[in-house]
Amino acid sequence: MKTEVLPIHSSVLFEAATEKAATLLDCGEIVALPSETVYGLAADALNTSAVRCIYEVKQRPANNPLIVHIASRKMLQTCVREWSDVAEKFANAFWPGPLTLVLPKAKCITHAITAGLDSVAIRWPAHPLMQAVIRRLGRPLAAPSANLANQLSPTSAEHVLNQLDKRIPLIVDGGLSNVGIESTVLSLCGAAPTVLRPGVIHLEALQAIDPSTRNLDALSKRKNSKQPQLSPGLHKKHYAPRARLKIHHWDSTSNLLKAVEAFGATQSRTCIICHEQIPSAETFSRVSVIPHDPEAYARALYAELFVADQEKPDLILIESVPDTSAWQGIRDRITRASSN
Ligand code: TXA
Ligand code: MG
Protein backbone atom coordinates (compact mmCIF):
# COMPACT_ATOMS: atom_id res chain seq x y z
CA MET A 1 0.00 0.00 0.00
CA LYS A 2 1.30 3.45 -0.90
CA THR A 3 1.08 5.99 1.93
CA GLU A 4 0.12 9.46 0.72
CA VAL A 5 1.16 12.49 2.83
CA LEU A 6 -1.04 15.57 2.40
CA PRO A 7 -0.06 19.01 3.76
CA ILE A 8 -2.63 21.54 5.04
CA HIS A 9 -0.78 24.85 5.06
CA SER A 10 -3.23 26.69 2.77
CA SER A 11 -7.04 26.70 2.86
CA VAL A 12 -7.20 24.83 -0.47
CA LEU A 13 -4.84 22.11 0.82
CA PHE A 14 -6.72 21.95 4.15
CA GLU A 15 -9.99 21.43 2.31
CA ALA A 16 -8.53 18.77 -0.01
CA ALA A 17 -6.96 16.84 2.88
CA THR A 18 -10.18 17.01 4.92
CA GLU A 19 -12.19 15.67 1.98
CA LYS A 20 -9.71 12.87 1.24
CA ALA A 21 -9.49 11.78 4.90
CA ALA A 22 -13.26 11.82 5.40
CA THR A 23 -13.83 9.86 2.17
CA LEU A 24 -11.32 7.16 3.16
CA LEU A 25 -12.78 6.95 6.69
CA ASP A 26 -16.28 6.66 5.24
CA CYS A 27 -15.05 3.64 3.22
CA GLY A 28 -13.75 1.97 6.40
CA GLU A 29 -10.07 2.84 5.91
CA ILE A 30 -7.83 4.11 8.72
CA VAL A 31 -5.79 7.31 8.37
CA ALA A 32 -3.28 9.28 10.47
CA LEU A 33 -4.41 12.78 11.47
CA PRO A 34 -2.68 15.57 13.38
CA SER A 35 -4.07 16.50 16.79
CA GLU A 36 -2.82 19.10 19.26
CA THR A 37 -1.46 16.36 21.56
CA VAL A 38 0.08 13.72 19.26
CA TYR A 39 -0.88 12.32 15.84
CA GLY A 40 -3.83 9.90 15.95
CA LEU A 41 -4.53 6.76 13.91
CA ALA A 42 -8.22 7.27 13.16
CA ALA A 43 -11.14 5.05 12.17
CA ASP A 44 -14.89 5.63 11.97
CA ALA A 45 -15.86 4.79 15.57
CA LEU A 46 -19.16 3.28 14.42
CA ASN A 47 -17.49 0.88 11.96
CA THR A 48 -16.36 -2.15 13.98
CA SER A 49 -14.15 -3.69 11.29
CA ALA A 50 -12.37 -0.35 10.77
CA VAL A 51 -11.82 -0.14 14.54
CA ARG A 52 -10.39 -3.68 14.56
CA CYS A 53 -8.06 -2.62 11.76
CA ILE A 54 -6.48 -0.03 14.12
CA TYR A 55 -5.50 -2.82 16.54
CA GLU A 56 -4.03 -4.82 13.67
CA VAL A 57 -1.98 -2.01 12.18
CA LYS A 58 -0.73 -0.79 15.57
CA GLN A 59 -0.19 -4.35 16.84
CA ARG A 60 -2.02 -3.17 19.93
CA PRO A 61 -3.17 -5.66 22.57
CA ALA A 62 -6.94 -6.15 22.24
CA ASN A 63 -7.48 -5.27 25.91
CA ASN A 64 -6.24 -1.68 25.62
CA PRO A 65 -9.27 0.51 24.83
CA LEU A 66 -9.34 3.44 22.37
CA ILE A 67 -10.29 7.11 22.78
CA VAL A 68 -13.37 8.31 20.87
CA HIS A 69 -12.99 11.82 19.39
CA ILE A 70 -16.03 14.05 18.97
CA ALA A 71 -16.63 17.54 17.61
CA SER A 72 -20.12 18.46 18.85
CA ARG A 73 -22.42 18.15 21.85
CA LYS A 74 -24.77 16.07 19.73
CA MET A 75 -22.05 13.52 18.98
CA LEU A 76 -21.16 13.45 22.68
CA GLN A 77 -24.75 12.54 23.56
CA THR A 78 -24.71 9.57 21.19
CA CYS A 79 -21.54 8.18 22.81
CA VAL A 80 -22.29 8.38 26.56
CA ARG A 81 -25.06 6.97 28.72
CA GLU A 82 -24.72 9.46 31.60
CA TRP A 83 -23.52 13.05 31.71
CA SER A 84 -23.11 14.52 35.20
CA ASP A 85 -22.73 18.12 36.41
CA VAL A 86 -19.09 17.32 37.17
CA ALA A 87 -18.55 16.12 33.59
CA GLU A 88 -20.16 19.33 32.36
CA LYS A 89 -17.76 21.42 34.46
CA PHE A 90 -14.65 19.61 33.19
CA ALA A 91 -15.87 19.81 29.59
CA ASN A 92 -16.61 23.53 29.89
CA ALA A 93 -13.18 24.19 31.36
CA PHE A 94 -11.01 22.10 29.04
CA TRP A 95 -12.82 21.17 25.79
CA PRO A 96 -11.83 21.39 23.03
CA GLY A 97 -8.41 20.37 24.32
CA PRO A 98 -6.03 17.76 25.74
CA LEU A 99 -8.41 16.20 28.30
CA THR A 100 -10.02 12.77 27.87
CA LEU A 101 -13.05 11.94 30.05
CA VAL A 102 -13.95 8.32 30.85
CA LEU A 103 -17.74 7.94 31.18
CA PRO A 104 -20.41 5.21 31.05
CA LYS A 105 -20.67 4.17 27.40
CA ALA A 106 -23.75 4.30 25.20
CA LYS A 107 -24.92 1.30 23.16
CA CYS A 108 -23.47 2.45 19.83
CA ILE A 109 -19.94 2.29 21.29
CA THR A 110 -18.84 -1.29 20.71
CA HIS A 111 -16.63 -3.52 22.82
CA ALA A 112 -14.07 -3.35 20.01
CA ILE A 113 -13.43 0.25 21.12
CA THR A 114 -13.74 -0.20 24.88
CA ALA A 115 -11.98 -3.57 25.07
CA GLY A 116 -15.05 -4.99 26.79
CA LEU A 117 -15.38 -2.20 29.39
CA ASP A 118 -18.72 -0.56 30.13
CA SER A 119 -17.05 2.87 29.94
CA VAL A 120 -15.80 4.95 27.03
CA ALA A 121 -12.96 7.50 26.85
CA ILE A 122 -14.09 10.69 25.06
CA ARG A 123 -12.09 13.68 23.84
CA TRP A 124 -13.05 16.80 21.91
CA PRO A 125 -9.76 17.67 20.19
CA ALA A 126 -8.76 21.31 19.60
CA HIS A 127 -6.94 20.71 16.30
CA PRO A 128 -8.89 22.31 13.42
CA LEU A 129 -8.06 19.53 10.95
CA MET A 130 -9.27 16.76 13.25
CA GLN A 131 -12.43 18.74 14.01
CA ALA A 132 -13.05 19.33 10.29
CA VAL A 133 -12.64 15.63 9.45
CA ILE A 134 -15.02 14.55 12.24
CA ARG A 135 -17.62 17.08 11.07
CA ARG A 136 -17.24 16.08 7.41
CA LEU A 137 -17.60 12.38 8.27
CA GLY A 138 -20.49 13.18 10.61
CA ARG A 139 -19.44 10.45 13.02
CA PRO A 140 -16.98 10.20 15.93
CA LEU A 141 -13.44 8.91 15.35
CA ALA A 142 -11.75 6.19 17.36
CA ALA A 143 -8.07 7.11 17.48
CA PRO A 144 -5.09 5.94 19.50
CA SER A 145 -1.70 7.59 19.02
CA ALA A 146 -0.39 6.79 15.51
CA ASN A 147 2.58 4.64 16.54
CA LEU A 148 3.25 0.92 16.76
CA ALA A 149 2.40 -0.45 20.23
CA ASN A 150 5.05 0.34 22.86
CA GLN A 151 6.93 2.77 20.60
CA LEU A 152 7.25 6.53 20.68
CA SER A 153 4.08 8.57 20.07
CA PRO A 154 4.39 10.73 16.94
CA THR A 155 4.31 14.53 17.07
CA SER A 156 4.98 15.02 13.34
CA ALA A 157 4.00 13.41 10.04
CA GLU A 158 7.62 12.26 9.66
CA HIS A 159 7.37 10.28 12.91
CA VAL A 160 4.19 8.57 11.67
CA LEU A 161 5.73 7.78 8.29
CA ASN A 162 8.76 6.29 10.03
CA GLN A 163 6.56 3.70 11.76
CA LEU A 164 3.50 3.26 9.53
CA ASP A 165 4.73 3.79 5.94
CA LYS A 166 2.95 1.39 3.53
CA ARG A 167 0.56 0.26 6.31
CA ILE A 168 -2.01 3.08 5.94
CA PRO A 169 -3.25 4.98 2.87
CA LEU A 170 -2.98 8.54 4.22
CA ILE A 171 -1.12 10.77 6.67
CA VAL A 172 -2.33 14.35 6.96
CA ASP A 173 0.70 16.56 7.74
CA GLY A 174 -0.25 19.31 10.20
CA GLY A 175 3.30 20.11 11.30
CA LEU A 176 4.49 19.68 14.89
CA SER A 177 1.85 18.89 17.52
CA ASN A 178 1.50 21.87 19.82
CA VAL A 179 1.03 20.04 23.15
CA GLY A 180 3.43 17.20 22.39
CA ILE A 181 2.36 14.53 24.90
CA GLU A 182 -0.87 12.52 25.04
CA SER A 183 -4.01 13.89 26.72
CA THR A 184 -4.73 13.70 30.43
CA VAL A 185 -7.15 10.77 30.98
CA LEU A 186 -9.66 11.46 33.76
CA SER A 187 -12.14 8.81 34.88
CA LEU A 188 -15.55 10.07 36.02
CA CYS A 189 -16.85 6.55 36.65
CA GLY A 190 -15.85 6.23 40.32
CA ALA A 191 -16.62 8.01 43.58
CA ALA A 192 -14.26 10.90 42.75
CA PRO A 193 -12.67 12.11 39.49
CA THR A 194 -9.46 10.07 39.06
CA VAL A 195 -6.47 10.80 36.82
CA LEU A 196 -5.63 7.56 34.98
CA ARG A 197 -2.93 9.15 32.82
CA PRO A 198 -1.33 12.52 33.69
CA GLY A 199 -0.84 15.13 30.97
CA VAL A 200 -0.39 18.86 30.53
CA ILE A 201 -3.76 19.48 32.18
CA HIS A 202 -2.39 18.55 35.58
CA LEU A 203 -3.85 17.61 38.94
CA GLU A 204 -3.92 21.14 40.36
CA ALA A 205 -5.75 22.47 37.30
CA LEU A 206 -8.31 19.67 37.61
CA GLN A 207 -8.70 20.24 41.35
CA ALA A 208 -9.55 23.87 40.62
CA ILE A 209 -12.64 22.50 38.85
CA ASP A 210 -13.39 19.71 41.36
CA PRO A 211 -11.29 19.62 44.57
CA SER A 212 -12.00 15.90 45.11
CA THR A 213 -9.98 14.99 41.97
CA ARG A 214 -7.15 12.58 42.79
CA ASN A 215 -4.35 10.63 41.17
CA LEU A 216 -4.70 6.91 40.76
CA ASP A 217 -2.47 5.53 43.50
CA ALA A 218 0.66 3.75 42.43
CA LEU A 219 -0.57 0.30 43.41
CA SER A 220 -3.82 0.25 41.44
CA LYS A 221 -1.98 1.87 38.55
CA ARG A 222 0.42 -1.04 38.45
CA LYS A 223 -2.47 -3.50 38.49
CA ASN A 224 -4.26 -1.61 35.69
CA SER A 225 -1.28 -1.47 33.41
CA LYS A 226 -0.69 -5.24 33.53
CA GLN A 227 -1.59 -6.11 29.97
CA PRO A 228 -1.56 -9.78 28.97
CA GLN A 229 1.38 -10.76 26.77
CA LEU A 230 1.08 -10.18 23.04
CA SER A 231 0.77 -13.12 20.74
CA PRO A 232 4.21 -14.67 20.13
CA GLY A 233 4.32 -13.51 16.49
CA LEU A 234 4.16 -9.88 17.48
CA HIS A 235 6.22 -10.20 20.61
CA LYS A 236 9.64 -9.98 18.97
CA LYS A 237 8.81 -6.84 17.05
CA HIS A 238 7.66 -5.03 20.20
CA TYR A 239 10.92 -5.77 21.92
CA ALA A 240 13.20 -5.08 18.98
CA PRO A 241 16.39 -3.31 20.17
CA ARG A 242 16.02 0.42 20.72
CA ALA A 243 18.28 2.79 22.61
CA ARG A 244 18.45 2.21 26.35
CA LEU A 245 17.12 5.22 28.23
CA LYS A 246 18.04 6.35 31.74
CA ILE A 247 16.99 9.31 33.87
CA HIS A 248 19.68 10.90 35.99
CA HIS A 249 20.47 14.04 37.94
CA TRP A 250 23.93 15.61 37.58
CA ASP A 251 25.30 18.91 38.88
CA SER A 252 28.50 19.07 36.82
CA THR A 253 29.89 17.69 33.58
CA SER A 254 32.35 15.51 35.48
CA ASN A 255 29.45 13.99 37.44
CA LEU A 256 27.64 13.32 34.21
CA LEU A 257 30.69 11.63 32.67
CA LYS A 258 30.94 9.37 35.71
CA ALA A 259 27.28 8.46 35.34
CA VAL A 260 27.70 7.59 31.64
CA GLU A 261 30.57 5.30 32.59
CA ALA A 262 28.57 3.75 35.43
CA PHE A 263 25.75 2.98 32.96
CA GLY A 264 28.34 1.10 30.87
CA ALA A 265 28.20 3.47 27.88
CA THR A 266 30.83 5.50 26.01
CA GLN A 267 30.43 9.27 25.59
CA SER A 268 30.52 9.15 21.80
CA ARG A 269 27.61 6.69 21.78
CA THR A 270 25.49 8.57 24.33
CA CYS A 271 22.77 11.15 23.62
CA ILE A 272 22.02 13.66 26.38
CA ILE A 273 18.65 15.37 26.82
CA CYS A 274 18.87 18.19 29.37
CA HIS A 275 17.07 21.34 30.48
CA GLU A 276 19.21 22.90 33.25
CA GLN A 277 22.64 21.30 33.54
CA ILE A 278 24.06 21.65 30.03
CA PRO A 279 27.28 19.62 29.72
CA SER A 280 30.40 21.26 28.36
CA ALA A 281 31.89 18.05 26.87
CA GLU A 282 31.66 18.00 23.07
CA THR A 283 32.30 14.29 22.79
CA PHE A 284 28.68 13.15 23.18
CA SER A 285 26.84 11.72 20.19
CA ARG A 286 24.25 14.46 20.66
CA VAL A 287 23.18 16.99 23.29
CA SER A 288 19.57 18.24 23.16
CA VAL A 289 18.68 21.22 25.31
CA ILE A 290 14.94 21.63 25.97
CA PRO A 291 13.66 24.80 27.69
CA HIS A 292 13.09 24.46 31.44
CA ASP A 293 9.35 25.05 31.17
CA PRO A 294 6.88 22.15 31.34
CA GLU A 295 4.81 23.22 28.32
CA ALA A 296 7.81 23.85 26.08
CA TYR A 297 9.41 20.65 27.36
CA ALA A 298 6.32 18.54 26.58
CA ARG A 299 6.16 20.01 23.07
CA ALA A 300 9.78 19.05 22.31
CA LEU A 301 10.23 15.78 24.22
CA TYR A 302 9.11 13.14 21.67
CA ALA A 303 10.77 14.95 18.76
CA GLU A 304 14.09 15.01 20.68
CA LEU A 305 13.72 11.34 21.64
CA PHE A 306 13.01 10.54 17.99
CA VAL A 307 16.19 12.22 16.69
CA ALA A 308 18.26 10.77 19.51
CA ASP A 309 16.97 7.28 18.69
CA GLN A 310 17.82 7.80 14.99
CA GLU A 311 21.49 8.05 16.01
CA LYS A 312 21.24 4.47 17.35
CA PRO A 313 23.16 5.35 20.52
CA ASP A 314 24.01 2.90 23.31
CA LEU A 315 22.36 5.20 25.82
CA ILE A 316 19.97 8.14 25.95
CA LEU A 317 20.50 9.95 29.25
CA ILE A 318 17.72 12.33 30.32
CA GLU A 319 18.25 14.92 33.03
CA SER A 320 15.66 14.36 35.77
CA VAL A 321 12.75 16.81 35.88
CA PRO A 322 11.11 18.60 38.85
CA ASP A 323 8.75 16.71 41.13
CA THR A 324 5.82 19.11 40.78
CA SER A 325 2.29 18.80 39.43
CA ALA A 326 3.08 20.74 36.23
CA TRP A 327 5.84 18.25 35.33
CA GLN A 328 3.87 15.12 36.24
CA GLY A 329 2.84 14.19 32.68
CA ILE A 330 6.42 14.55 31.48
CA ARG A 331 7.78 12.54 34.43
CA ASP A 332 5.27 9.80 33.68
CA ARG A 333 6.34 9.55 30.00
CA ILE A 334 10.10 9.56 30.58
CA THR A 335 9.75 7.05 33.43
CA ARG A 336 7.81 4.70 31.14
CA ALA A 337 10.38 5.16 28.38
CA SER A 338 13.18 4.32 30.81
CA SER A 339 11.53 1.10 31.95
CA ASN A 340 11.49 -0.36 28.42
O1 TXA B 1 -3.83 12.71 23.24
C1 TXA B 1 -4.34 11.59 23.11
O2 TXA B 1 -5.03 11.08 24.00
C2 TXA B 1 -4.07 10.85 21.79
C3 TXA B 1 -4.77 11.61 20.68
C4 TXA B 1 -4.69 10.89 19.34
O3 TXA B 1 -6.10 11.87 21.03
N1 TXA B 1 -4.55 9.51 21.87
C5 TXA B 1 -3.95 8.57 22.66
O4 TXA B 1 -4.54 7.33 22.57
O5 TXA B 1 -3.01 8.80 23.35
P1 TXA B 1 -3.89 6.00 23.17
O6 TXA B 1 -4.70 4.90 22.62
O7 TXA B 1 -2.44 5.97 22.88
O8 TXA B 1 -4.16 6.11 24.70
C6 TXA B 1 -5.49 5.96 25.20
C7 TXA B 1 -5.46 5.82 26.68
C8 TXA B 1 -4.91 4.49 27.10
O9 TXA B 1 -4.11 4.67 28.25
C9 TXA B 1 -6.18 3.70 27.41
O10 TXA B 1 -5.93 2.65 28.29
C10 TXA B 1 -7.07 4.77 27.98
O11 TXA B 1 -6.80 5.90 27.18
N2 TXA B 1 -8.51 4.43 27.88
C11 TXA B 1 -9.26 4.36 26.76
N3 TXA B 1 -10.52 3.97 27.05
C12 TXA B 1 -10.58 3.80 28.38
C13 TXA B 1 -11.61 3.41 29.29
N4 TXA B 1 -12.84 3.11 28.89
N5 TXA B 1 -11.29 3.34 30.60
C14 TXA B 1 -10.03 3.65 31.02
N6 TXA B 1 -9.02 4.02 30.21
C15 TXA B 1 -9.28 4.10 28.92
MG1 MG C 1 -0.45 5.54 22.68
Side-chain angles (χ1 to χ4, degrees), residues 33 35 37-41 58 60 63-67 69 98 100 102-103 113-114 117-121 123 125 130 143-147 153 181-185 187 196-197 227:
L33 303 177
S35 98
T37 55
V38 298
Y39 277 63
L41 186 59
K58 263 195 77 121
R60 181 181 177 101
N63 62 350
N64 194 359
L66 305 177
I67 295 173
H69 298 73
T100 296
V102 176
L103 296 151
I113 291 176
T114 68
L117 295 173
D118 191 38
S119 60
V120 61
R123 187 164 92 82
M130 204 157 193
S145 49
N147 53 283
S153 290
I181 61 171
E182 305 85 343
S183 62
T184 304
V185 178
S187 172
L196 302 182
R197 177 175 73 183
Q227 309 286 354

Side-chain angles (χ1 to χ4, degrees), residues 48-69:
T48 301
S49 66
V51 170
R52 291 215 176 96
C53 191
I54 291 178
Y55 284 88
E56 245 168 66
V57 167
K58 263 195 77 121
Q59 298 159 12
R60 181 181 177 101
N63 62 350
N64 194 359
L66 305 177
I67 295 173
V68 172
H69 298 73

Side-chain angles (χ1 to χ4, degrees), residues 162-177:
N162 187 265
Q163 295 191 42
L164 299 181
D165 191 21
K166 300 190 177 72
R167 297 173 199 238
I168 53 174
L170 175 67
I171 300 170
V172 178
D173 183 353
L176 267 190
S177 294

